[in-house]
Amino acid sequence: MNDPKATTVTGGSFRGTDTLLAGLVLSIVSYWLFAVSLGTVAPAVLQALNGPYADPAAKTWAGPLLITGRAIQGLSAACVMPATIAMVKAYWDGADRQRAVSMWSIGSFGGAGLAAFLGGLIATTMGWRWIFVFSIVVSLVASLLV
């Protein structure tokens, strides 16, 4: 408790660990995997939902559902990005903070490019629905690490 580098959190002290940092970075990558990938395969999704053999009832709600989903993704990004960088600021100090911010930046900016590539690869080889499966798996791993 007398360590000036430690951050007081609800009566105790906690310092950031590599495990927490990996969880934060994966949570950002998970967001990008879902958001960017879904954006690149949106035509395939709409064709599957609104195609000639699609359920006529589905044609009426597919567009508004996708638009609402994208709005919710934007809200989640508005929560995930500032929350994770705030945790980096709170739990790391000095050179460790510089390293943590660098890793966070790699997850933020590199994750967007990686997600577009992996999402396209997954959609091409396995089908667009598998993007959701991979996003869920990455989210669960991130949750366990955090």
Side-chain angles (χ1 to χ4, degrees):
M1 193 88 161
N2 294 332
D3 182 8
K5 287 187 168 184
T7 302
T8 302
V9 179
T10 61
S13 63
F14 180 80
R15 293 179 52 102
T17 63
D18 287 345
T19 304
L20 175 61
L21 185 58
L24 294 177
V25 170
L26 281 178
S27 67
I28 295 168
V29 170
S30 172
Y31 164 74
W32 284 121
L33 180 62
F34 183 76
V36 172
S37 299
L38 189 60
T40 59
V41 298
V45 173
L46 286 173
Q47 183 179 5
L49 293 175
N50 292 330
Y53 304 110
D55 179 16
K59 290 183 181 186
T60 61
W61 57 263
L65 180 67
L66 287 176
I67 291 170
T68 303
R70 294 299 279 184
I72 292 170
Q73 284 177 338
L75 180 63
S76 71
C79 296
V80 167
M81 301 302 266
T84 54
I85 195 67
M87 290 176 74
V88 167
K89 182 187 180 306
Y91 296 139
W92 282 272
D93 288 317
D96 290 337
R97 182 182 291 168
Q98 292 173 350
R99 180 179 162 271
V101 168
S102 294
M103 296 305 292
W104 183 89
S105 297
I106 289 169
S108 296
F109 305 111
L114 180 66
F117 174 74
L118 288 178
L121 184 65
I122 292 167
T124 301
T125 58
M126 303 172 77
W128 63 267
R129 289 170 178 88
W130 280 93
I131 293 170
F132 297 107
V133 175
F134 282 97
S135 183
I136 290 168
V137 169
V138 172
S139 296
L140 290 174
V141 170
S143 296
L144 291 173
L145 291 172
V146 169

